[in-house]
Amino acid sequence: MFDLTGRTALVTGATGGIGGAIARALHAQGATVAISGTRVDALQTLADELGERVHVLQANLKDAASVDALPGQAEAALGSLDVLVHNAGITRDNLFLRMKDEEWADVIQVNLTAGFRLYRAALRGMVKRRRGRLIGITSVVGVTGNPGQGNYAASKAGLIGMSKSLAAEVASRGVTVNCIAPGFVESPMTDALNEKQKEASLAHIPLGRFGQGAEIAAAAVYLASDEAAYVTGHTLQVNGGIAMI
Amino acid sequence: MSDIAERVKKIVVEHLGVDAEKVTENASFIDDLGADSLDTVELVMAFEEEFGCEIPDDAAETILTVGDATKFLEKNAAQA
């Protein structure tokens, strides 16, 4: 089950906690992976760890031309592109009344518009090959909302709506489009919370702990696999029960 | 039939899986050959690849029949 031997995958934001975990998990299942991000040294460290079947592709997701070119570069490096995981994301949290145009625009640009561009570019080959897996990493707050994250929640909700529309368009071509919505995941961001903040957050999580990157990655492995061929337009919640939606 | 028309016909037959006899000059991709809207986009992509050209969206929208495609590509080849 969930064997990805011979499959090819591009993971954006692969230097982040979740992105790195996804790249590792797809690779462990046998896939050849292209890892993308802005920090080449961090990408190279991950590539060294993975050893074979890995390609490093630098990309700045704020730059439209760079985003448009990325799936083609991945196809060239990998020989094909079966799986695209749009994981890269940023936050620019602020109260709505204080939110600056740039804070709004940057978050929409990287989290949503880059996803649109990556999917559009990757689809050409996937539709032609009659096979593809598009996986967007969204967030529980895309469904529930979160104070201080109007921009981020909008971008993540947008990703869900975009994925559902696209899923309906390309289902007949063997391409599935799904999202994974993590809740709190252990990362430098959650590490920065103080004990009191941590306790307050944990009080809302029925499973009583933060998630691990590997637990998000397991969902990506499933959605990338042949076994998930009948799942499309779905958002898989991996959130410890914080929102049962 | 011109070389371009032959190549267009071949692509249409292969992509839509229809009988070659049905692929006449006036055949509409959607009304006569059973294409859906995504098929028409894919056909344009296939033409672009076969003929090594770019078909802009506004031109693609006017390519509704097999003959439309041939005419566009012949004109395009003449200009190249």
Side-chain angles (χ1 to χ4, degrees):
Chain A
M1 296 261 274
F2 315 131
D3 181 19
L4 299 175
T5 304
R7 295 298 157 87
T8 53
L10 166 63
V11 180
T12 69
T15 51
I18 292 176
I22 291 172
R24 285 186 189 95
L26 296 175
H27 185 267
Q29 294 306 110
T32 302
V33 297
I35 51 176
S36 150
T38 47
R39 291 177 293 138
V40 176
D41 51 342
L43 289 171
Q44 196 54 54
T45 304
L46 177 58
D48 291 345
E49 177 198 319
L50 295 178
E52 293 178 343
R53 292 183 284 113
V54 60
H55 301 264
V56 170
L57 298 173
Q58 193 189 13
N60 174 9
L61 295 191
K62 278 189 200 164
D63 176 55
S66 175
V67 178
D68 285 338
L70 185 56
Q73 290 165 349
E75 277 181 353
L78 300 167
S80 183
L81 182 59
D82 299 312
V83 181
L84 166 61
V85 183
H86 172 49
N87 160 76
I90 59 169
T91 54
R92 295 281 183 271
D93 296 355
N94 208 343
L95 289 175
F96 216 90
L97 280 167
R98 294 209 177 111
M99 189 168 287
K100 300 188 177 49
D101 286 0
E102 296 76 25
E103 290 169 339
W104 173 268
D106 283 355
V107 168
I108 298 293
Q109 181 73 27
V110 172
N111 299 6
L112 182 57
T113 308
F116 157 66
R117 289 179 171 279
L118 288 170
Y119 284 10
R120 186 178 57 181
L123 268 174
R124 265 183 109 92
M126 288 181 175
V127 162
K128 204 167 151 194
R129 290 187 293 271
R130 297 290 191 264
R131 188 170 81 190
R133 294 280 188 270
L134 297 172
I135 301 169
I137 306 305
T138 175
S139 165
V140 66
V141 309
V143 181
T144 62
N146 197 27
Q149 292 200 306
N151 49 1
Y152 184 77
S155 72
K156 295 301 189 181
L159 195 55
I160 293 173
M162 180 182 84
S163 300
K164 288 179 177 178
S165 305
L166 181 55
E169 279 188 32
V170 296
S172 62
R173 270 48 172 190
V175 179
T176 66
V177 191
N178 292 289
C179 290
I180 298 167
F184 274 104
V185 174
E186 272 184 21
S187 68
M189 191 180 78
T190 53
D191 291 345
L193 299 175
N194 63 38
E195 280 308 312
K196 208 174 161 193
Q197 287 171 316
K198 269 190 192 167
E199 264 175 42
S201 302
L202 289 172
H204 297 289
I205 304 173
L207 278 169
R209 62 177 177 85
F210 295 139
Q212 304 286 328
E215 291 170 319
I216 308 305
V221 165
Y222 168 63
L223 291 174
S225 72
D226 285 351
E227 283 78 3
Y230 202 55
V231 178
T232 196
H234 186 65
T235 298
L236 188 47
Q237 305 286 335
V238 186
N239 63 27
I242 195 171
M244 302 191 185
I245 40 186
Chain B
M1 195 183 276
S2 73
D3 167 55
I4 287 179
E6 277 294 341
R7 284 155 74 193
V8 166
K9 186 171 176 176
K10 188 162 173 279
I11 288 171
V12 173
V13 168
E14 276 174 13
H15 185 83
L16 298 178
V18 290
D19 291 337
E21 306 89 76
K22 284 191 178 166
V23 186
T24 58
E25 192 179 335
N26 293 324
S28 155
F29 295 123
I30 290 178
D31 296 333
D32 301 317
L33 302 176
D36 64 19
S37 54
L38 187 52
D39 283 318
T40 62
V41 176
E42 285 186 79
L43 279 170
V44 166
M45 279 162 43
F47 295 145
E48 287 178 331
E49 198 162 301
E50 168 74 17
F51 294 94
C53 64
E54 195 165 316
I55 303 175
D57 287 346
D58 55 345
E61 281 166 18
T62 66
I63 298 177
L64 306 175
T65 67
V66 178
D68 292 340
T70 307
K71 266 180 235 142
F72 176 87
L73 291 161
E74 281 174 345
K75 205 170 136 198
N76 201 59
Q79 284 167 353

